[in-house]
């Protein structure tokens, strides 16, 4: 048989109990003195009257103290729903919230590079769609690779491989070299050239002879004036690149649509890559 632990008596309730018991003992003691003549009655009055007052005050105070102690203990055991205002400060770091399974955790506050890149691609994509030409967005570069092509455009004169970048800093093309924010931009140019070479190789395997031109389209503060050719790459903004894409050429609309279909098969969406070995599809 298990015994329940005794609940501790609060100090205020304990004091009221002692006052009640002590005053009751004094009242009984002074009542016996009142029968011992005039001197006993005088002592009984001097001591007994305060004891009677303390007794009745204790009779009222003891239940009130018990109720107050019980209410305080229940409030202390209840879970705190809202943090105290004094415990928070504007400079304190916020508490991390638990995220759902497989949900990517992103750092809030200053806009990061991923958000900037997405906004840049959206701005370029909108400008390309406005041309009315066949456009493919976010295509996988090759099987098993994490690299992707931002945009493929089949214009009347060529197939354009457009790499969108949202970059900050000053831009210069002195002596045929690209520099952005004082840093060498050759890596950006080399990247889009490799993408264009992949597209050229894929079109050749599919029996399509069409020129392929790499384009670096900048949407951030680092912007060139007009369209420039730097190390074999067209450098421009969404507006200037759009003007180049709308130039006349030898490819008719039916040929453009056919090339776009072949490119859509050869370079599937980056979100889903189930492409077999590169062989020409039936037409």
């Amino acid at each position: 048989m298990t015994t329940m632990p005794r609940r501790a008596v609060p100090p205020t309730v304990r004091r009221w109990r002692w006052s009640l018991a002590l005053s009751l003992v004094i009242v009984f003691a002074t009542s016996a003195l009142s029968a011992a003549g005039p001197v006993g009655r005088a002592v009984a009055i001097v001591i007994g009257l305060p004891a009677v007052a303390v007794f009745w005050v204790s009779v009222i105070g003891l239940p009130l103290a018990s109720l107050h102690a019980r209410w305080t203990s229940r409030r202390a055991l209840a879970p705190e729903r809202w943090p105290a205002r004094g415990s928070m400060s504007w400079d304190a770091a916020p508490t991390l919230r638990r995220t759902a399974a497989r949900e990517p955790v992103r750092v809030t506050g200053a806009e990061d590079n991923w958000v900037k890149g997405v906004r840049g691609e959206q701005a370029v994509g909108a400008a390309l769609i406005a041309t009315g030409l066949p456009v493919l967005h976010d295509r996988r570069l090759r099987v098993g690779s994490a690299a992707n092509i931002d945009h493929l455009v089949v214009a009347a004169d060529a197939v354009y491989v457009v790499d969108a970048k949202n970059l900050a800093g000053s831009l210069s093309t002195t002596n045929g070299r690209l520099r952005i924010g004082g840093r060498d931009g050759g890596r950006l140019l080399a990247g889009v050239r490799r993408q264009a070479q992949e597209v050229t190789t894929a079109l050749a395997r599919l029996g399509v002879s069409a020129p392929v031109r790499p384009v670096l389209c900048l949407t951030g503060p680092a912007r060139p004036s007009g369209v420039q050719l730097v190390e074999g790459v067209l450098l421009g903004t969404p507006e200037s690149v759009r003007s180049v894409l709308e130039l006349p050429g030898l490819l008719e609309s039916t040929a453009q649509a056919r090339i776009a279909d072949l490119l859509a098969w050869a370079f599937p969406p980056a979100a889903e890559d189930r492409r077999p070995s590169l062989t020409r599809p039936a037409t």
Side-chain angles (χ1 to χ4, degrees):
M1 180 176 179
T2 59
T3 58
M4 297 296 293
R6 299 182 60 183
R7 185 175 300 177
V9 180
T12 54
V13 177
R14 191 182 300 112
R15 286 195 294 268
W16 280 111
R17 286 182 179 179
W18 278 106
S19 299
L20 179 63
L22 184 60
S23 62
L24 185 60
V25 170
I26 295 176
V27 168
F28 281 113
T30 54
S31 63
L33 290 175
S34 61
V39 177
R41 285 194 295 269
V43 173
I45 292 173
V46 172
I47 300 177
L49 289 180
V52 171
V54 172
F55 172 79
W56 287 111
V57 171
S58 300
V59 169
I60 299 174
L62 179 59
L64 293 179
S66 300
L67 292 175
H68 182 268
R70 187 175 302 176
W71 177 78
T72 304
S73 62
R74 289 181 179 179
R75 185 180 180 185
L77 293 175
E80 185 178 2
R81 295 185 178 180
W82 303 102
R85 292 188 178 182
S87 63
M88 292 289 291
S89 65
W90 293 107
D91 297 330
T95 303
L96 294 178
R97 295 183 177 181
R98 187 181 301 274
T99 56
R102 297 184 181 179
E103 180 183 353
V105 179
R106 301 198 59 79
V107 179
T108 59
E111 187 179 52
D112 57 12
N113 293 331
W114 183 84
V115 176
K116 292 180 181 179
V118 169
R119 290 186 176 182
E121 290 185 21
Q122 290 177 346
V124 175
L128 300 180
I129 293 174
T131 62
L133 298 170
V135 183
L136 303 175
H137 307 281
D138 195 18
R139 318 303 290 194
R140 181 69 64 196
L141 185 59
R142 67 179 70 90
V143 177
S145 173
N148 70 303
I149 301 174
D150 290 343
H151 310 282
L152 284 170
V153 186
V154 184
D157 61 333
V159 175
Y160 289 85
V161 179
V162 182
D163 191 13
K165 296 296 182 184
N166 188 340
L167 303 175
S170 59
L171 183 146
S172 64
T173 55
T174 307
N175 299 326
R177 301 295 299 272
L178 174 64
R179 297 188 68 84
I180 300 177
R183 297 182 179 181
D184 186 17
R187 183 176 57 86
L188 300 176
L189 301 177
V192 69
R193 282 199 304 267
R194 285 194 298 268
Q195 295 177 14
Q197 184 58 46
E198 293 280 348
V199 175
T200 301
T201 302
L203 290 178
R205 292 179 179 178
L206 295 171
V208 178
S209 58
V212 179
R213 297 177 180 173
V215 179
L216 183 60
C217 190
L218 301 177
T219 62
R223 293 192 173 204
S225 57
V227 178
Q228 303 179 30
L229 182 63
V230 183
E231 299 184 28
V233 178
L234 289 176
L235 193 66
T237 63
E239 297 78 13
S240 60
V241 170
R242 175 180 175 181
S243 64
V244 172
L245 296 176
E246 293 175 341
L247 293 175
L250 299 178
L251 292 176
E252 298 180 354
S253 58
T254 54
Q256 291 175 316
R258 177 175 174 273
I259 294 175
D261 290 340
L262 293 174
L263 289 173
W265 177 85
F267 300 96
E272 180 181 4
D273 190 355
R274 299 177 181 175
R275 157 180 50 167
S277 60
L278 186 58
T279 58
R280 182 174 179 176
T283 56

